[in-house]
Amino acid sequence: MTVRMGKKQTYKNLVFNILAFVVQFVTSFYISPIIVSGVGAAAYGFIGLANDFISYAGIITSVFNSVAARFIANSYYKKDFDKANNYFNSLIVTNLGLAGVFGVLGVILVPNLNQVISVPIDILVDVKITFALTFLSYCITLITMVFTTSTFVANRTDLQGIRDIIKHIVRFSLIIVFLNFVSIKLYWTSAALLIATAVVAVLNVSLTRKLTPELKFSLKMANVKYASELAKSGCWMALTSISTILLRGLDLTIANIMLGEYEMGILSIARTFPNNFTSVISTIAPVFTPVFLSYYAKKNLPELKNQVEQSINMMALIMFVPISGFIVFSQDFYGLWQRSLTPAEINMVAALSSITVIQAYFNSTTATMAQLSVVSNKLKLPVFISLGCGLASIIMDILLIKFTPIGIYALVISPTVVMILRYVLFNSIYGAYCINQPWKCFFSTVMKTWVAIPILIIGMIFIRRVVSITNWSGLMIAAILSAIFGYGVMILLFGRDQFMKILKKKGEK
């Protein structure tokens, strides 16, 4: 098997994974209003809650699976295929055992679900079926998870993107059929996911045979020693998973238990698009890492600092316009997207989303600095800081709900405040520390990007007042005008030099 490297393959990997994200986004965009209008906002929240329960289980599985691809790839590249198969088969046995445990837990939890969370009696059966199908889907994913490593080993994550696109298309197609030609039930989304997961599981096994034929299924090659080695290295990733859940994965559970299923449903709708912004930032930021690594390896720290500063401006240039546009036009967007909601509910969803998405300004401009801990291999402190931020956010959530009248808004204010502080203070200072620079060396660059925020917001508010937004066409016109204005401002402020270089190169051709 030949492993493909080089920029061309890297760009190909990035493009197909972004396309997979776009397909997933379109699926969510289509599904949400149909479910909300058909079964209500409260019921819609249980789809997200079922997935959150799976993310809790993911903490345990990440101990073994988070680093498996790296261990298998390392042995594979050295042509030590016996050792690669030891890791491969040890993980299969481990995941089979974990799937059995989670299957038993699912059998215990689902029948008694209304004893754990608040569920309206009229949709109790539907919610139980939704949770049961979601658990079953996860067990299939877990059993076949090791077969996803082949695309990483072969550096063919473009195939991973294609595989994800197929999964989303299968799920999307089935949901269209179920919701339009069978009935509007909550559990059809989980049923579609289950079938799509089974299809992808077959594809994963097929890709493993094609890309990494040296990896063979043989239980004789499984060994506790190799599973323990994976667990030892993966425990740090498990802590990262816990931190993520504390910050973003418990909000629906807290809303359900402390506020009610209706508030949980509203919050579930509100967090959909802010989560997409986080996903985009997480996809773009690591693209700069190979460049940082090259300068760090050469010990060229001044140029590395320069590259980081350029990446900060580039992230601001890319992300500030859509973030600002979402904040300004969120009420119009939700009014068109979720027509079954009342004006008061639209206002609430728009406010919750806007508060949540504010942190994306600061996440985008410090995300590349966070990559410096990977470049310098100084990874432990960020894990504990993330864990601390998660705990602080949960404590603030509970205190604000119990002792203030802000209710559901506590669940977006707490993580937004905590994460802005983490992004601005820790990422900036620790990034500088990782490359032996003064602690405040990146602050001026980051703070300069903030100048654009009020300019973008004010300009887009003016466009919103001028353009009549009563339908999707009006919103699209406003969005296009805002994009032209916004990116014009950002290029003048942060991208003029790079933009002029591009034009100059094209002129020379």
Side-chain angles (χ1 to χ4, degrees):
M1 185 272 296
T2 302
V3 180
R4 298 187 184 183
M5 296 296 180
K7 288 185 178 180
K8 185 177 180 180
Q9 185 61 42
T10 300
Y11 292 143
K12 192 175 179 182
N13 293 343
L14 182 61
V15 166
F16 278 101
N17 280 280
I18 290 175
L19 283 174
F21 169 78
V22 170
V23 174
Q24 182 182 17
F25 172 83
V26 171
T27 304
S28 299
F29 183 84
Y30 175 83
I31 294 170
S32 181
I34 294 178
I35 296 294
V36 172
S37 63
V39 297
Y44 177 78
F46 287 102
I47 298 174
L49 188 61
N51 290 323
D52 284 351
F53 270 63
I54 292 303
S55 70
Y56 307 155
I59 294 174
I60 299 172
T61 60
S62 67
V63 171
F64 299 95
N65 290 274
S66 60
V67 295
R70 180 165 60 85
F71 276 76
I72 294 171
N74 187 47
S75 299
Y76 199 94
Y77 295 154
K78 294 176 181 177
K79 298 191 181 301
D80 189 350
F81 298 127
D82 284 343
K83 193 171 184 180
N85 274 295
N86 287 138
Y87 288 121
F88 183 79
N89 286 283
S90 297
L91 190 59
I92 288 176
V93 172
T94 301
N95 285 343
L96 281 169
L98 289 172
V101 171
F102 292 133
V104 172
L105 290 176
V107 170
I108 296 171
L109 173 66
V110 171
N112 302 290
L113 194 61
N114 54 317
Q115 305 298 319
V116 180
I117 58 175
S118 174
V119 185
I121 190 66
D122 56 320
I123 59 170
L124 179 59
V125 174
D126 286 6
V127 172
K128 286 183 176 181
I129 294 173
T130 299
F131 270 74
L133 293 174
T134 303
F135 265 87
L136 183 56
S137 176
Y138 181 69
C139 286
I140 293 173
T141 298
L142 184 57
I143 291 169
T144 59
M145 189 175 290
V146 68
F147 295 99
T148 65
T149 61
S150 62
T151 53
F152 178 87
V153 173
N155 192 31
R156 292 300 309 276
T157 53
D158 58 315
L159 295 178
Q160 176 181 314
I162 293 171
R163 180 184 61 205
D164 290 341
I165 290 171
I166 292 171
K167 177 180 179 179
H168 297 317
I169 289 175
V170 170
R171 178 173 176 251
F172 185 51
S173 302
L174 288 170
I175 286 172
I176 290 175
V177 172
F178 290 151
L179 296 183
N180 288 285
F181 301 104
V182 183
S183 62
I184 298 179
K185 292 289 186 179
L186 194 65
Y187 50 74
W188 287 132
T189 58
S190 298
L193 176 62
L194 175 62
I195 296 170
T197 299
V199 170
V200 170
V202 174
L203 288 175
N204 286 336
V205 175
S206 177
L207 280 173
T208 299
R209 289 175 177 172
K210 181 179 179 181
L211 297 175
T212 53
E214 296 85 357
L215 295 178
K216 306 288 186 181
F217 174 68
S218 175
L219 295 182
K220 293 179 180 179
M221 301 198 76
N223 193 304
V224 174
K225 169 189 170 184
Y226 294 96
S228 300
E229 193 175 345
L230 292 173
K232 184 178 179 181
S233 296
C235 62
W236 291 104
M237 295 305 296
L239 287 176
T240 302
S241 298
I242 293 173
S243 304
T244 302
I245 287 171
L246 289 174
L247 284 165
R248 299 188 181 95
L250 285 177
D251 53 355
L252 295 184
T253 304
I254 293 173
N256 179 275
I257 294 172
M258 297 190 69
L259 297 171
E261 58 271 4
Y262 171 76
E263 286 79 2
M264 178 192 69
I266 292 294
L267 182 61
S268 183
I269 298 169
R271 76 176 188 173
T272 301
F273 282 90
N275 285 350
N276 286 326
F277 280 107
T278 302
S279 297
V280 171
I281 294 168
S282 299
T283 300
I284 298 174
V287 170
F288 298 93
T289 306
V291 177
F292 296 168
L293 276 167
S294 65
Y295 285 110
Y296 186 80
K298 297 172 186 175
K299 301 188 186 301
N300 189 349
L301 298 184
E303 184 56 31
L304 174 55
K305 176 178 177 291
N306 180 54
Q307 290 293 323
V308 174
E309 290 174 340
Q310 287 187 34
S311 72
I312 293 169
N313 290 333
M314 185 61 66
M315 290 293 289
L317 191 153
I318 294 170
M319 295 302 303
F320 275 21
V321 174
I323 294 169
S324 301
F326 180 80
I327 291 172
V328 172
F329 298 103
S330 61
Q331 190 171 4
D332 304 294
F333 169 76
Y334 282 115
L336 293 170
W337 185 46
Q338 297 286 351
R339 293 181 181 274
S340 64
L341 298 182
T342 66
E345 289 171 333
I346 292 294
N347 291 337
M348 185 185 299
V349 170
L352 291 168
S353 290
S354 296
I355 294 169
T356 303
V357 89
I358 287 172
Q359 62 182 280
Y361 283 122
F362 308 95
N363 183 8
S364 59
T365 49
T366 63
T368 57
M369 283 187 281
Q371 296 296 311
L372 294 175
S373 62
V374 178
V375 170
S376 60
N377 197 31
K378 297 175 181 177
L379 300 169
K380 292 184 179 180
L381 185 58
V383 171
F384 288 111
I385 291 295
S386 295
L387 193 60
C389 288
L391 289 170
S393 179
I394 292 298
I395 292 170
M396 285 179 62
D397 284 342
I398 295 171
L399 293 176
L400 287 174
I401 290 174
K402 287 183 71 69
F403 299 109
T404 72
I406 63 176
I408 192 173
Y409 291 96
L411 297 173
V412 294
I413 291 173
S414 297
T416 296
V417 171
V418 169
M419 291 311 294
I420 288 175
L421 291 173
R422 184 254 162 87
Y423 293 140
V424 176
L425 297 178
F426 178 75
N427 284 6
S428 300
I429 294 172
Y430 194 68
Y433 165 77
C434 286
I435 59 172
N436 301 315
Q437 297 295 308
W439 66 272
K440 57 182 179 180
C441 74
F442 294 126
F443 274 103
S444 60
T445 305
V446 172
M447 292 174 71
K448 284 177 184 176
T449 64
W450 300 349
V451 174
I453 297 175
I455 298 174
L456 294 173
I457 294 290
I458 292 170
M460 291 181 187
I461 289 175
F462 176 77
I463 292 171
R464 184 174 183 264
R465 289 182 176 179
V466 171
V467 178
S468 175
I469 305 175
T470 57
N471 51 39
W472 286 109
S473 297
L475 183 59
M476 286 299 296
I477 291 170
I480 291 169
L481 292 174
S482 296
I484 294 170
F485 162 75
Y487 281 112
V489 169
M490 295 304 293
I491 287 171
L492 286 173
L493 291 176
F494 305 111
R496 185 168 48 189
D497 293 340
Q498 289 86 347
F499 189 66
M500 292 306 295
K501 285 178 183 178
I502 293 171
L503 290 179
K504 187 177 179 181
K505 287 180 180 178
K506 288 188 175 180
E508 290 173 355
K509 290 180 181 178

